[in-house]
Amino acid sequence: MEVNQIKSLFLEETTLGYQMLGLGVLSVVLMFMDHATSWLDGSRSALTIALTPVVVTADLPNRSARGIQDIFSSREDLRGRINELESELIFLRVKTEKMAALTAENNRLRGLLGSAAKLQDNVLVAELIGVNPDPEEQEVVIDKGSEDSVFLGQPVLDSRGLVGQVVEVSAFNSRVLLISDERHSVPVQVLRSNLRLIARGTGIDQQLELLHVNSTADIKVGDQLLSSGLGNRFPVGYPVGVVAKVDYKPGKPFAEVLAKPNAQLDRSRHVLLVFTESRIAEEETNATSGKGDDRGG
Amino acid sequence: MIAVADNRTGGLVIIWITIVAGMVLAVVPMPQFVPLELGFLRPDWVAMVLVYWIIALPHRVGIPTAWLAGIAVDVLLGSLIGQHALAYVLIAYVVASLYQRLRMFSVWQQATVLFALLGLNQLVGFWIESIAGLTDWSLWYLLPALSGAFLWPWVFLMLRSIRRTVGVT
């Protein structure tokens, strides 16, 4: 046995102190760099790739539960489901055909008006592989990254409405901030009255808050909110939420208005990443209204 | 000598496997039927695993290991790089200074110390988030420390049986 293999009985207090001081200061410096600069983004995405197995393992129970469900569902059930899906497919196909005609017509009319907006978006389907465990932060991780040309700030939808936007991209996965997060706001428009507003997340699942609604504003429960496209972050015309509560408080300048997101933020397993062909630029609306900020924090 | 060397690298693998298992538990999604509020109860598994290994093998697992694990957790949770690392370094420093006393304690006495340590962990995290301008303080922040302290005896027994079966020294 060599000398250096014999353990000393006590740990060196001074070594511990130096280690703590050194690594502590290093951590603080790293935090500052991460907060104030983008120098660490490369290493963060590299480490994210290295840690992907952890995220995938954590998702295994969920995934295998669904696998077992599939094994034990009976032949009749599956047949029924196939029939159901087939009829739904036909229904949707008919709808899409109509949509195609309408889109063509709309684009033609917009062409006549000289507007740049085109109703043609490409989408990429992504699957959820992780959820931020902190209940205060509404974020999810999806299985598409810069390899699939996902970009920062990309809008994310599900089959019913707007889900959120990409806030962090690494090679094979990326992090999506949901519209219900407190740090997120999205510019919206009321479908019925064309009133422009800003919908901020509340940190509570399935709830949005509409900011600065005048007490005289034309808004009522059940109104559909669409993304207005202001701020050039989200494409125009996607459903965001439905007004759930309007409360005019006497003596307060603004009404308290809450909305429920259309998207199933806590339930959807598959989401769509949107690639807008031409970033919508409706100069007139942008110029007249000063509010173009679509992302807080 | 060769056997000793093998045992040492093997031991390191086991230690990191338990730390990574803690990371998996830290990000595993809650099933749909669990109410959202229960998310506040999720203890900091990685911190607990680190505390165990520092008490058991202070010459092998120390502040540098805690720092590395902290950086990995920061990347996993998408927090500021260095946030968990700093908290873990502080915890590791306290535990490494006190490990001989902590070994003498009964499991439940250790659990109370762990409550203080995990509380410190939460506080550091909260301070950093509030400096970066992210959240408001509420007592909810201490819940993970409480649940961690209650789970400590089981974590302790399980990790000790792992250490003894595999023979990590």
Side-chain angles (χ1 to χ4, degrees), chain A residues 128 138 178 205-206 263-269, chain B residues 32 36:
Chain A
L128 243 68
Q138 314 242 328
L178 302 183
D205 236 19
Q206 302 293 344
Q264 295 186 302
L265 298 179
D266 54 345
R267 225 146 297 184
S268 38
R269 187 82 204 169
Chain B
Q32 291 297 339
L36 195 74

Side-chain angles (χ1 to χ4, degrees), chain A residues 1-2 5 7-11 13 16-17 19-20 23-24 26-28 30-31 34-35 40 44 47-48 51 54-55 57-59 61-62 131-133 135-137 139 168 175 183 205 266-267, chain B residues 1 4 20 23-24 26-29 32 36 39-40 42 58-59 63-64 67 71-72 74-83 85-86 89-90 93 96-97 99-100 128-129 132 134-135 141 169:
Chain A
M1 188 70 80
E2 285 168 37
Q5 292 249 344
K7 292 172 185 170
S8 61
L9 189 55
F10 298 95
L11 288 173
E13 278 286 334
L16 280 182
Q19 279 181 343
M20 183 199 64
L23 290 174
L26 183 59
S27 308
V28 173
L30 284 176
M31 271 187 280
D34 198 19
H35 189 59
L40 288 178
R44 185 190 276 272
L47 279 171
T48 308
L51 287 167
V54 173
V55 180
T57 319
D59 193 40
N62 232 328
V131 179
N132 191 325
E136 298 255 321
E137 288 175 8
E139 288 177 347
E168 192 187 308
R175 199 174 281 273
R183 295 165 291 168
D205 236 19
D266 54 345
R267 225 146 297 184
Chain B
M1 282 305 288
V4 169
V20 170
M23 288 176 195
V24 170
V27 293
V28 75
Q32 291 297 339
L36 195 74
F40 285 105
R42 186 194 298 256
H59 294 270
I63 293 171
W67 186 80
I71 293 288
D74 282 326
V75 172
L76 268 181
L77 297 185
S79 46
L80 282 180
I81 288 187
Q83 178 179 334
L86 178 64
V89 163
L90 293 178
Y93 175 71
S97 318
Y99 76 97
Q100 279 167 325
I128 292 164
E129 280 181 8
L134 294 177
T135 39
Y141 277 100
T169 49

Side-chain angles (χ1 to χ4, degrees), chain A residues 178-204:
Chain A
L178 302 183
I179 53 172
S180 59
D181 191 287
E182 267 184 303
R183 295 165 291 168
H184 193 276
S185 326
V186 45
V188 295
Q189 194 157 26
V190 178
L191 178 63
R192 185 175 53 82
S193 60
N194 283 337
L195 181 67
R196 284 190 304 270
L197 295 164
I198 293 203
R200 187 173 68 183
T202 54
I204 302 166

Side-chain angles (χ1 to χ4, degrees), chain A residues 47-89:
Chain A
L47 279 171
T48 308
I49 296 169
L51 287 167
T52 302
V54 173
V55 180
V56 172
T57 319
D59 193 40
L60 271 184
N62 232 328
R63 201 169 281 258
S64 55
R66 272 176 299 131
I68 289 168
Q69 236 172 33
D70 283 352
I71 292 170
F72 284 106
S73 51
S74 71
R75 205 182 151 82
E76 281 72 36
D77 280 351
L78 289 175
R79 211 175 273 270
R81 246 174 72 193
I82 290 172
N83 283 337
E84 217 173 88
L85 290 173
E86 266 172 357
S87 55
E88 199 182 324
L89 183 69

Side-chain angles (χ1 to χ4, degrees), chain B:
Chain B
M1 282 305 288
I2 294 162
V4 169
D6 278 349
N7 211 354
R8 285 186 72 83
T9 47
L12 204 65
V13 170
I14 295 293
I15 290 168
W16 274 103
I17 285 176
T18 55
I19 291 175
V20 170
M23 288 176 195
V24 170
L25 285 176
V27 293
V28 75
M30 292 276 189
Q32 291 297 339
F33 54 85
V34 176
L36 195 74
E37 285 74 21
L38 277 184
F40 285 105
L41 276 175
R42 186 194 298 256
D44 193 331
W45 296 102
V46 179
M48 290 165 76
V49 173
L50 284 170
V51 167
Y52 173 79
W53 285 116
I54 297 173
I55 294 176
L57 303 168
H59 294 270
R60 305 203 53 190
V61 180
I63 293 171
T65 317
W67 186 80
L68 281 178
I71 293 288
V73 170
D74 282 326
V75 172
L76 268 181
L77 297 185
S79 46
L80 282 180
I81 288 187
Q83 178 179 334
H84 284 87
L86 178 64
Y88 290 173
V89 163
L90 293 178
I91 290 180
Y93 175 71
V94 175
V95 177
S97 318
L98 297 179
Y99 76 97
Q100 279 167 325
R101 234 173 289 177
L102 288 172
R103 278 182 185 172
M104 293 298 119
F105 283 178
S106 74
V107 175
W108 284 107
Q109 277 172 311
Q110 285 179 354
T112 52
V113 176
L114 195 81
F115 175 68
L117 288 174
L118 292 177
L120 174 78
N121 186 20
Q122 296 295 111
L123 262 181
V124 171
F126 168 71
W127 284 334
I128 292 164
E129 280 181 8
S130 59
I131 289 170
L134 294 177
T135 39
D136 301 322
W137 170 258
S138 76
L139 274 179
W140 290 97
Y141 277 100
L142 284 181
L143 265 186
L146 202 63
S147 60
F150 271 111
L151 288 169
W152 172 250
W154 289 276
V155 172
F156 176 81
L157 290 177
M158 203 181 73
L159 287 173
R160 188 173 66 176
S161 75
I162 289 175
R163 181 170 65 86
R164 289 195 175 156
T165 351
V166 187
V168 186
T169 49

